[in-house]
Amino acid sequence: MRRAAAMVLALAVLAWAGPRSACGEISQSGRAGAGVGMGTIEESEEVKHAKAKEQAETYYKDGMQALAEGNVERAVQRLLWVANMGRMRIDSPYPEQAFEQLKVLADRGAKDLAVARELVAGEDHAAGVKELRRITRVYLGLAPAKEAGRLLRELEKDPAFREAVLAQGLADDLEKARALEAEAEAILHPPAAGAPESKPPAPESEPPAPEPEPRPVATGDSTGRAGSGDVEASRPAPEPPKELTPEERQAKRLEKLVEAYALYDRIVRQGGETKPAKAAAEAMERLRKDAAVAERLAKVRAERQAREWMGLATNYFKAGRLDLARQYSEKVIASYPDAPEAEEARDLLEALK
């Protein structure tokens, strides 16, 4: 009885004492802490201040390192965090330094925004929209990002501008597809050995670039140690590129042409009755007349279909729809018996037995 009475008395004392105890301040959060009773021991203001100073220094240095590496997006976010810590009135120079760096970055963002405005107002609408989206991401939290977001919202409301952006995107894709076709033919018919590399002529308005002056080669210092020139001279010459076999050339050519075909297909689907869409449709028809390309396209479609069906079979199996899992597994085996997915389908059917 005496022991029970003592325990009751101790609880009464704790209840009367309130949030303070010999162990320090106790917060009434209801979570079990390291102090007496329920709660969590709060850190002293000195400890909080020391931790804030350490975090400010760490984040500031991390932001400046990101800026040195060209990662402006990360630098902005880190420096914003440090600058906002200035509200805590911590005894640290880093919030003020972060604020100054952010002003420099905001000026850089304003210059990028001016370039984006010129692109939007000119003929390269798609590039302007792309730049505006980049600014909203990279300078998030600064004034240039806010203004870029406002401009994007305004432009998206203009049907004529959306049409212009689509037309330019289609034209760019058409140019890329044609470049891929040219690369494919260059792979199959490379220039003869020793033939000079063809370069586009420089514009008449620009003078030809001067030839670089030969760099002097150091032969060593007075102590007889080799200089940097001797090190470069001693390096082995790079090995010439490996000569491709005709089969390898044909395979690389087909890869380029299949990639070009995919771009043409996207142009046709997005372009409707536009000129780029009509030109892309003609290019697709021309590529399909190439037996090797047609065979490769059929193989790509088969691989894509086999993956899709096998993915459905697996998902249905996991969902307990065993009838549909069996159905799609059998479709894979029947249509593409030699595909890697067919082996997966056989394993799944074995598990369904």
Side-chain angles (χ1 to χ4, degrees):
M1 292 292 294
R2 290 181 179 178
R3 185 174 183 181
M7 292 181 64
V8 170
L9 180 60
L11 290 173
V13 170
L14 284 174
W16 173 83
R20 294 185 177 275
S21 71
C23 296
E25 274 192 9
I26 307 294
S27 67
Q28 303 302 310
S29 62
R31 294 191 301 266
V36 178
M38 301 295 291
T40 303
I41 299 177
E42 291 185 352
E43 295 176 338
S44 66
E45 290 300 321
E46 292 78 8
V47 172
K48 288 182 180 179
H49 188 272
K51 285 188 175 181
K53 284 181 62 177
E54 182 180 355
Q55 288 177 335
E57 180 180 1
T58 301
Y59 273 47
Y60 178 81
K61 291 180 177 179
D62 184 57
M64 296 305 294
Q65 179 65 29
L67 189 59
E69 294 172 354
N71 190 344
V72 179
E73 181 176 355
R74 180 178 177 85
V76 168
Q77 296 310 307
R78 288 305 200 201
L79 294 174
L80 275 172
W81 192 91
V82 177
N84 286 330
M85 290 192 71
R87 299 175 182 176
M88 298 176 62
R89 301 184 182 279
I90 60 174
D91 182 20
S92 171
Y94 293 110
E96 184 64 26
Q97 292 179 21
F99 182 75
E100 294 299 322
Q101 288 293 335
L102 286 170
K103 288 198 296 185
V104 174
L105 290 171
D107 289 341
R108 181 190 296 188
K111 293 177 181 178
D112 291 349
L113 186 60
V115 173
R117 287 178 183 273
E118 292 179 3
L119 291 171
V120 168
E123 298 181 355
D124 202 351
H125 304 305
V129 170
K130 184 178 180 181
E131 180 65 7
L132 286 173
R133 289 172 178 163
R134 186 191 70 83
I135 292 169
T136 60
R137 186 188 76 253
V138 171
Y139 298 99
L140 182 64
L142 301 180
K146 184 177 180 180
E147 178 64 13
R150 186 190 66 79
L151 287 173
L152 280 172
R153 289 190 294 273
E154 287 185 0
L155 293 171
E156 289 169 356
K157 296 177 183 177
D158 185 355
F161 184 83
R162 290 202 304 269
E163 184 178 348
V165 170
L166 174 62
Q168 185 176 344
L170 295 175
D172 290 345
D173 282 348
L174 186 63
E175 184 178 352
K176 291 176 185 176
R178 287 171 172 169
L180 285 168
E181 281 200 78
E183 291 176 20
E185 295 309 313
I187 290 172
L188 195 60
H189 305 290
E197 182 181 358
S198 60
K199 296 182 180 180
E204 295 181 1
S205 58
E206 297 182 5
E211 293 291 332
E213 296 182 0
R215 187 173 59 179
V217 178
T219 57
D221 58 16
S222 59
T223 62
R225 291 177 296 184
S228 60
D230 294 322
V231 174
E232 293 181 3
S234 64
R235 290 175 182 168
E239 295 183 3
K242 178 184 176 183
E243 183 68 23
L244 298 177
T245 65
E247 292 78 12
E248 290 172 334
R249 289 188 183 280
Q250 178 68 356
K252 292 181 76 68
R253 169 181 176 267
L254 290 176
E255 286 179 10
K256 295 287 186 182
L257 292 179
V258 168
E259 190 177 349
Y261 189 93
L263 275 176
Y264 287 136
D265 182 59
R266 185 171 72 183
I267 295 168
V268 169
R269 286 185 285 105
Q270 295 181 351
E273 297 299 321
T274 60
K275 289 182 178 180
K278 292 178 181 178
E282 294 174 359
M284 291 173 69
E285 183 178 359
R286 172 172 46 77
L287 286 174
R288 285 194 297 266
K289 291 179 180 179
D290 186 320
V293 174
E295 182 181 355
R296 179 59 181 161
L297 288 172
K299 185 178 179 181
V300 169
R301 284 193 293 268
E303 292 171 350
R304 186 184 303 119
Q305 185 67 81
R307 285 195 300 270
E308 180 181 343
W309 285 350
M310 193 62 229
L312 289 170
T314 302
N315 290 336
Y316 282 129
F317 179 77
K318 292 178 180 178
R321 300 294 304 275
L322 304 185
D323 53 337
L324 291 173
R326 182 184 302 278
Q327 176 183 333
Y328 278 101
S329 297
E330 290 173 347
K331 286 180 70 172
V332 171
I333 296 171
S335 300
Y336 311 108
D338 298 326
E341 289 77 11
E343 189 63 31
E344 296 179 33
R346 295 185 185 97
D347 292 340
L348 195 148
L349 288 176
E350 187 67 26
L352 289 172
K353 291 182 179 179

